[in-house]
Amino acid sequence: MKRHGNLFNKIIDYDNLYYAYTQARKGKRWQKGILDFEKDIKGNLLKLQQSLINKTFTTSSYRVKTIYEPKKREIYILPFYPDRILQHALLQVVSPLWNNLMIHQSYACRPEKGMHQASRKLMKDIQKYDYCLKCDISKFYPSIDHDIIMRIVERKIKCKDTLWLLNNIIYSFPNGKNTPIGNYTSQWFGNLYMNELDTYVKHELKIKSYARYCDDFILLLNDKKELHRLKDLIDIFIHDKLLLKFSKWSVFNVN
């Protein structure tokens, strides 16, 4: 696997930071943090750039918000400046590299993917198969292990300065686990984490009909007993390799 270097200068380039600011503010321009930042856009971006060059940047403290739709969960919110701008600037450079790692059947938070694409794929496939294995990971984002995701990141990126920045974000949450829901980077960390399962299912288990959206995934086969066997293998894999477990699973007729 090719490892990429010389990324940091692209991340901290002023034009990249400015574009990141325009992306991070979308739909939120009324927020006080954004209005305050826009009193001196250039000066604030140059301060952010210098803090990255000097390695004085550190991820800010999280503000916690509880939401109840679609279910009760805690969202962790970072300030617009510098964190949300910085995360957009980072992902503008590294997300295309990570996107190229992923299999076609990974549908969450990727360009030209999404739940509707996943649905269309499955609607075609269920005409060819009799049975379905559907699985869901328990408390997925809070269960992501920092050491494991950092090792996954290091397999694709060798730029030391970029790894310093990714390390700063990944380990910003205490206790060794959790990529907080609310971080722009978390959706990509989640995809990288579950890409380990995707490649196992496709290349080792040799499953042709498979689709994953975030931590929900489906396998289709004509053999019900074989799906139960595969469920057991996947259960072992996610436990041993990713420190995850199922919240629920089921095998049923596609009808």
Side-chain angles (χ1 to χ4, degrees), residues 61 109 198 213 227 234:
S61 298
C109 309
D198 296 343
Y213 189 89
L227 281 177
I234 292 170

Side-chain angles (χ1 to χ4, degrees), residues 9-172:
N9 286 339
K10 297 177 183 178
I11 295 168
I12 67 172
D13 177 79
Y14 180 86
D15 289 341
N16 187 56
L17 293 174
Y18 186 89
Y19 183 69
Y21 142 67
T22 66
Q23 296 303 296
R25 74 181 181 183
K26 281 186 175 180
K28 307 182 183 93
R29 296 196 67 173
W30 51 269
Q31 291 182 356
K32 184 178 185 302
I34 297 176
L35 295 173
D36 289 342
F37 170 84
E38 290 179 336
K39 292 174 182 176
D40 185 8
I41 295 171
K42 184 174 182 179
N44 286 323
L45 289 178
L46 288 173
K47 286 179 186 177
L48 172 57
Q49 184 185 58
Q50 199 61 46
S51 73
L52 293 166
I53 293 170
N54 296 337
K55 302 293 190 300
T56 56
F57 171 84
T58 187
T59 301
S60 303
S61 298
Y62 291 94
R63 177 169 63 87
V64 183
K65 179 181 178 181
T66 302
I67 64 171
Y68 296 90
E69 293 293 338
K71 60 184 178 181
K72 183 180 178 181
R73 54 183 178 164
E74 290 185 331
I75 302 293
Y76 297 87
I77 302 170
L78 288 171
F80 176 77
Y81 174 80
D83 300 88
R84 280 153 52 192
I85 294 174
L86 181 277
Q87 291 191 13
H88 275 265
L90 168 67
L91 287 175
Q92 281 159 195
V93 175
V94 301
S95 65
L97 309 178
W98 291 343
N99 190 55
N100 289 338
L101 279 175
M102 296 174 189
I103 68 171
H104 180 76
Q105 295 89 344
S106 168
Y107 288 96
C109 309
R110 297 177 63 198
E112 299 179 9
K113 297 290 185 178
M115 64 177 67
H116 297 298
Q117 290 275 21
S119 178
R120 282 193 286 269
K121 159 70 173 170
L122 288 170
M123 289 304 291
K124 289 181 180 179
D125 281 5
I126 61 173
Q127 299 175 46
K128 308 172 189 176
Y129 296 97
D130 294 329
Y131 295 100
C132 171
L133 166 64
K134 185 178 184 297
C135 302
D136 187 295
I137 302 296
S138 176
K139 299 179 181 177
F140 174 56
Y141 284 104
S143 300
I144 291 178
D145 183 90
H146 294 165
D147 292 340
I148 294 175
I149 187 60
M150 195 67 209
R151 287 197 295 268
I152 293 170
V153 164
E154 288 169 347
R155 295 209 301 261
K156 191 64 176 175
I157 293 174
K158 64 181 178 181
C159 174
K160 291 183 178 179
D161 291 333
T162 303
L163 289 173
W164 161 78
L165 181 55
L166 285 161
N167 184 286
N168 194 300
I169 296 169
I170 287 170
Y171 289 94
S172 64

Side-chain angles (χ1 to χ4, degrees), residues 137-150 152-153 170-171 173-181 185-194 212 214-215 242-245:
I137 302 296
S138 176
K139 299 179 181 177
F140 174 56
Y141 284 104
S143 300
I144 291 178
D145 183 90
H146 294 165
D147 292 340
I148 294 175
I149 187 60
M150 195 67 209
I152 293 170
V153 164
I170 287 170
Y171 289 94
F173 201 89
N175 304 323
K177 289 192 174 186
N178 203 339
T179 58
I181 299 172
T185 49
S186 291
Q187 59 190 12
W188 279 101
F189 291 150
N191 255 349
L192 283 174
Y193 210 75
M194 291 297 283
R212 178 179 63 80
C214 193
D215 61 321
L242 302 175
L243 306 182
L244 300 174
K245 62 182 180 180

Side-chain angles (χ1 to χ4, degrees), residues 208-233:
K208 292 181 179 180
S209 184
Y210 169 79
R212 178 179 63 80
Y213 189 89
C214 193
D215 61 321
D216 296 315
F217 57 94
I218 283 176
L219 288 73
L220 296 171
L221 278 181
N222 287 321
D223 188 331
K224 186 176 182 180
K225 185 176 180 181
E226 177 65 4
L227 281 177
H228 280 277
R229 187 184 75 87
L230 292 171
K231 186 276 297 181
D232 291 339
L233 291 175

